[in-house]
Amino acid sequence: KLSIDVQVAGGIAVTTMDMIFYNNSYTVLEGELNFPLGEGQNISRFAMDINGVMRDGVVVEKSKGQETFEAIVRRGVDPGLLEMTEGNNFRARIFPINMFSEKHIIISYEEELSVTQGRSAYMLPLKFAEKVDEFKLRIDVRGENAPDQGQKRSLKINFKKNNGGHIAEINKKNYVPSQDLQFYISDKNEPAIL
């Protein structure tokens, strides 16, 4: 299951990915999630469900994090490790994912939107290779100017005016997110030229 929440206000976007992974095997598994971020995007939250409670992670040096992860795994406890690998790419190691059980992970990141020709641009990569059983996307853009997707090929969404902003939502079952999502917000009161 994948639920994505995007909050945009004052040129800052906060994207939260709430993910549930299911182990449908008779074996306890260790999971690995590769999470690339774009330039200027920074992780603001990493949390994992441990015994029914979402536990937020803390930032530590890479060597300390790996050492702690290995020590906790040896005790049979549920650790989660999010480490920066190369560039602005992150990898989360999750153990254990018990047989026929779910593992719940939340990752949030923040970014200052780039501005070109009086428009702020937001882009969310969504090219998945496999089907997601439940896919939810909610975008809340604060401000009077309605977001516009322009002419570029993008996952199509419909924004509706709502309490000082614009909201778009998608809810799908058995869905393969195969197109990136991109939209623009005009920073002026005049229409943006696309």
Side-chain angles (χ1 to χ4, degrees):
K1 298 176 185 176
L2 174 61
S3 179
I4 303 172
D5 181 74
V6 180
Q7 302 285 323
V8 180
I12 304 292
V14 178
T15 304
T16 300
M17 296 195 166
D18 192 317
M19 300 166 273
I20 297 178
F21 300 94
Y22 183 71
N23 176 2
N24 63 351
S25 73
Y26 287 96
T27 307
V28 174
L29 299 176
E30 176 178 328
E32 180 175 295
L33 172 66
N34 291 301
F35 200 85
L37 292 181
E39 188 176 322
Q41 296 176 331
N42 298 298
I43 296 284
S44 56
R45 182 178 186 208
F46 174 63
M48 184 172 72
D49 180 344
I50 300 175
N51 298 324
V53 176
M54 290 307 290
R55 304 279 176 133
D56 283 293
V58 294
V59 177
V60 295
E61 290 181 23
K62 186 174 182 174
S63 60
K64 173 83 170 151
Q66 288 177 332
E67 181 182 304
T68 303
F69 181 88
E70 298 301 333
I72 292 172
V73 166
R74 283 192 292 276
R75 292 194 324 244
V77 179
D78 291 352
L81 176 67
L82 181 68
E83 60 184 339
M84 183 180 272
T85 55
E86 186 176 308
N88 206 19
N89 296 303
F90 292 82
R91 178 176 57 217
R93 294 171 54 196
I94 303 120
F95 178 86
I97 307 174
N98 293 319
M99 56 183 161
F100 300 101
S101 295
E102 295 179 339
K103 187 59 85 172
H104 186 181
I105 305 292
I106 296 174
I107 296 178
S108 293
Y109 61 91
E110 298 179 5
E111 63 185 299
E112 184 175 344
L113 299 180
S114 61
V115 178
T116 306
Q117 296 179 349
R119 298 182 305 155
S120 297
Y122 177 85
M123 207 280 274
L124 177 67
L126 286 175
K127 291 186 180 164
F128 285 56
E130 296 183 27
K131 170 186 71 153
V132 178
D133 291 342
E134 290 181 31
F135 176 82
K136 295 180 181 181
L137 171 64
R138 184 177 191 281
I139 304 165
D140 185 353
V141 178
R142 301 284 85 205
E144 290 302 313
N145 294 325
D148 185 347
Q149 290 195 274
Q151 301 301 317
K152 292 190 178 181
R153 190 178 160 154
S154 173
L155 174 67
K156 293 299 176 198
I157 52 176
N158 294 314
F159 284 95
K160 295 180 182 170
K161 195 163 180 67
N162 183 320
N163 295 334
H166 296 82
I167 292 179
E169 293 181 294
I170 295 175
N171 294 301
K172 296 189 180 265
K173 297 213 184 262
N174 300 317
Y175 176 66
V176 179
S178 59
Q179 287 185 303
D180 295 341
L181 167 69
Q182 190 165 5
F183 61 86
Y184 305 92
I185 306 159
S186 176
D187 293 337
K188 301 176 183 174
N189 288 328
E190 64 220 37
I193 298 170
L194 303 175

